[in-house]
Amino acid sequence: MAEGPDPVVADLEQEVTCGICHDRYQEPKLLPCCHYYCKQCILTLSSRFQPNQSFPCPDCREPTLLPDNNPDRLPTAFFINRMKALHSRMEKAHGKLETTCEMCSGGKATAFCRQCVSFICDDCVKSHKMKVFAGHAISTLDELKQGGVKELTFESPSPPKCEDHEELKKIFCFDCNKLICRDCIVIEHAGHNYEFVKKAVPATRKKLTEHLSPLKNLLPDLSTAVNQVKGIKQKIQAQKELTERQVNAKFQELHDILDRCKVRVLRESSALADSKMEKLAAQEKGLDLSLGTAQSLIDFVERTLENASDEELITMQEQVVSRIDAEVVKRGKEAANPDPVEKDDFGVEVFVCEDLKKLCENNVVFYPSVRGDGVKMAEVDKCANLNVYISSKQGKPQAVLKSLVDQSTQQLQAVPVRGGVYSVEYTPRVRGQHHLLISVDDQPIPGSPFSVFVKIPPTKLDKPVRVIRGINNPQYMVFNSSEELIVTDYSGDVFVFDKKGERIRSISKSKHEFGGISGVAVDKKDNIYVCDSGKHCVYKFNKRGDLLKRFGTKGSGPKELNWPRGIAVAGDQVFVCDRANHRVQVLTTELEPVKQIGSKGSGNGHFNLPQDVAVDNEQMVYVIDYYNNRVQVLTMDGRFIRSIGKKGNGQGDLSRPFGVCVTGFVYVIDDGNRRVSVFTKDGQFVTSFGNGHITDLYGVAVDSDGFVYVRSHESVVIF
């Protein structure tokens, strides 16, 4: 009977196999987390990441930073090299590798000397009887197989030699955490705290044992936790399988119902169709007979007229005329009512499909889960609601609404609707981003916390909430994708503020010699486009403020501008209000001219000093037509759609409008009336605000939380 693999050898085989390359360790290195791998494997693993970036340990996922990107700086896992040597000797002892004498390099090894730590041949066994080898323990290969690892255990290796002094490193410097020799004490480590290794090791062993004890004490708890997790996994797997069976059974039941319904509907449909076909066949047969009779009589009369003699014709006229008149009367009734006796009136398929669609979309709910508009969107001072679905084994849900704007919270009530369904209602008081936290049995349900955006209707924008100061002559403003506010100062720089109103960077006037900047816009890459009214040009900067390109000189030609003001970017197109040329110029994002829209006038599609421009998410262009006291809405190619506002000071009227911003509403700076007027996109007046709080108006912008930013004199006022 063949011998099976020796368990000791098998265990050692696993110990000396790298967990990455699955081969014998080559130059094993120790990571800070105390896991070890081949040096080359560590280098290969770290190369997948950026230099000086930590990489996860394959075993424990602990982040590891390779010192100077050099695995040689990691400690060597010396004990693994000893295990490799031990494994090799075990293989020799078990005859897996050819074993020759390691002392004389001659004959085949037949024994092992523990003191020499070598396999020896018969001649060397005899030599070991000499006095010089007194006390050496010799074991035959068979005895090694019986004794296993204990027979092959190595004595501790000699201390390494000092690279500088060729002395043995028998001393450990605690200050430098390294082995040193006697000469090192005098030269490099004078005054340091050091001790002989043999004397210090007992304390080290005791220290390691003491530190290991708390970790060992954690093992029962960790083991219990693992078993609990396994138990939960098993329960979830069982629940999954049960759910699959229930779902399959339910849908099989539905399938059977549908099959029976299908058979019934097809049977009824077939019977209905057969009945209709039978009536139509009878009608068709009668009509065919009438058609044939009429055609036959026509043929007879026509042949008679052609071939009969005068005498024959006069003789038979009474008979023929009587027959024709009778046929006209008889067939005329049929011809007067030619409609089919039945119609193709079937409507079953659409009804069934819509019903099934409703069933699939609305009647299958997993728990725990949440449904309802209130889980995504809400409005200030307006009740929002949602439903929470849980199993019958779970307790009542708990819900909390937290504002990320002012950190206020609301404890919400969950009201039972029916078994496993609870209704949650809330009325937010603060606009902006909120977190909706829903938990069951003190555990958050999947998806919690839910991100809820609370908007504020323009009708509630009555008073300023904050003011940004420190700008000499602010003009227009825009938000980039990072929610940073970019403001142009006509007599100064382009300033960038965070949402708290703190200035974080700027594009300097002195560096770029601005003549008087006004309009500002950003593209999807957060490049910044600025109109310089004083120098009749447009600049393109990157987000950091580096100048990328410039377009325009003063004039009225295709590549010229005259006092440009507002600017907007939509996709790969840039819209510039070429104010004194009474037109809107369209450029590429590389500032190459595409076309011009409009000319001076008061008709639709004509402008009188276009002041600002915005583009909504439906690709509609909104242009402030300053002296015509209106906002013109155009398509991207310049086709007129509608006009918003007219000259006046009543609700919905405008007087010298300056700026425009479009979100879900159209916000218009109504400077002549000292207010911001708000319209729907189709031009219906909604409200106005700011009167009495703002003067000398210009630009307007709206952030993602619904706050409206308005230029007022030397500041930006936030509503």
Side-chain angles (χ1 to χ4, degrees), residues 119-140:
F119 286 93
I120 56 178
C121 62
D122 288 339
D123 290 339
C124 291
V125 170
K126 294 177 182 177
S127 300
H128 268 63
K129 294 180 179 178
M130 299 170 61
K131 287 185 178 181
V132 69
F133 295 111
H136 284 214
I138 307 296
S139 301
T140 66

Side-chain angles (χ1 to χ4, degrees), residues 12-251:
L12 278 175
E13 177 73 29
Q14 187 174 354
E15 290 287 343
V16 298
T17 300
C18 174
I20 296 179
C21 65
H22 303 293
D23 204 346
R24 298 281 176 86
Y25 283 107
Q26 300 295 326
E27 298 183 83
K29 293 290 183 178
L30 189 66
L31 298 182
C33 60
C34 294
H35 290 110
Y36 37 86
Y37 307 96
C38 303
K39 182 178 82 171
Q40 186 58 45
C41 291
I42 294 173
L43 188 61
T44 302
L45 180 62
S46 66
S47 67
R48 300 173 187 169
F49 299 82
Q50 295 295 325
N52 299 318
Q53 180 185 2
S54 61
F55 60 90
C57 167
D59 273 305
C60 65
R61 315 308 296 171
E62 188 74 18
T64 300
L65 188 62
L66 197 59
D68 299 328
N69 297 313
N70 184 4
D72 287 326
R73 297 287 303 277
L74 294 172
T76 298
F78 54 86
F79 54 91
I80 294 299
N81 287 328
R82 295 179 62 195
M83 294 287 284
K84 282 176 62 180
L86 180 60
H87 179 264
S88 176
R89 295 191 185 282
M90 285 294 295
E91 286 188 317
K92 289 180 179 180
H94 285 260
K96 292 188 176 183
L97 294 177
E98 184 179 352
T99 310
T100 56
C101 181
E102 295 176 341
M103 293 195 69
C104 66
S105 301
K108 182 179 180 181
T110 58
F112 181 78
C113 176
R114 290 196 61 193
Q115 281 66 38
C116 297
V117 195
S118 299
F119 286 93
I120 56 178
C121 62
D122 288 339
D123 290 339
C124 291
V125 170
K126 294 177 182 177
S127 300
H128 268 63
K129 294 180 179 178
M130 299 170 61
K131 287 185 178 181
V132 69
F133 295 111
H136 284 214
I138 307 296
S139 301
T140 66
L141 295 185
D142 288 337
E143 289 172 341
L144 288 179
K145 291 180 183 180
Q146 298 291 331
V149 174
K150 290 182 180 179
E151 293 292 333
L152 290 167
T153 301
F154 299 105
E155 295 179 353
S156 298
S158 300
K161 283 189 176 182
C162 177
E163 298 83 357
D164 298 325
H165 309 112
E166 294 298 320
E167 294 286 335
L168 294 180
K169 295 181 178 179
K170 295 184 178 181
I171 303 166
F172 186 77
C173 177
F174 292 98
D175 292 342
C176 302
N177 195 35
K178 64 184 292 186
L179 290 169
I180 58 175
C181 69
R182 287 178 181 271
D183 292 348
C184 292
I185 297 174
V186 179
I187 302 172
E188 294 96 347
H189 299 269
H192 287 197
N193 179 24
Y194 56 83
E195 183 60 88
F196 281 98
V197 170
K198 287 190 177 294
K199 189 173 181 181
V201 160
T204 300
R205 292 184 183 278
K206 181 180 179 182
K207 180 180 179 181
L208 288 174
T209 302
E210 289 174 350
H211 278 72
L212 197 59
S213 181
L215 187 60
K216 286 183 176 180
N217 292 337
L218 290 176
L219 291 180
D221 292 338
L222 289 172
S223 179
T224 300
V226 168
N227 290 332
Q228 288 176 341
V229 171
K230 286 181 177 178
I232 294 294
K233 285 176 63 180
Q234 290 173 353
K235 289 180 179 179
I236 290 175
Q237 181 63 30
Q239 184 62 37
K240 173 188 172 184
E241 294 170 359
L242 175 61
T243 302
E244 287 176 352
R245 290 195 298 271
Q246 290 174 337
V247 169
N248 288 332
K250 287 291 183 184
F251 278 88

Side-chain angles (χ1 to χ4, degrees), residues 23 45 47 78 82 85 93 122 125 232 254 270 284 294 319 337 339 354 392 400 459 482 531 564 624 686:
D23 204 346
L45 180 62
S47 67
F78 54 86
R82 295 179 62 195
D122 288 339
V125 170
I232 294 294
L254 290 173
S270 178
E284 181 183 21
Q319 179 183 350
N337 186 25
D339 294 335
E354 289 300 320
S392 57
V400 177
T459 52
S482 302
C531 287
I624 293 290
V686 177

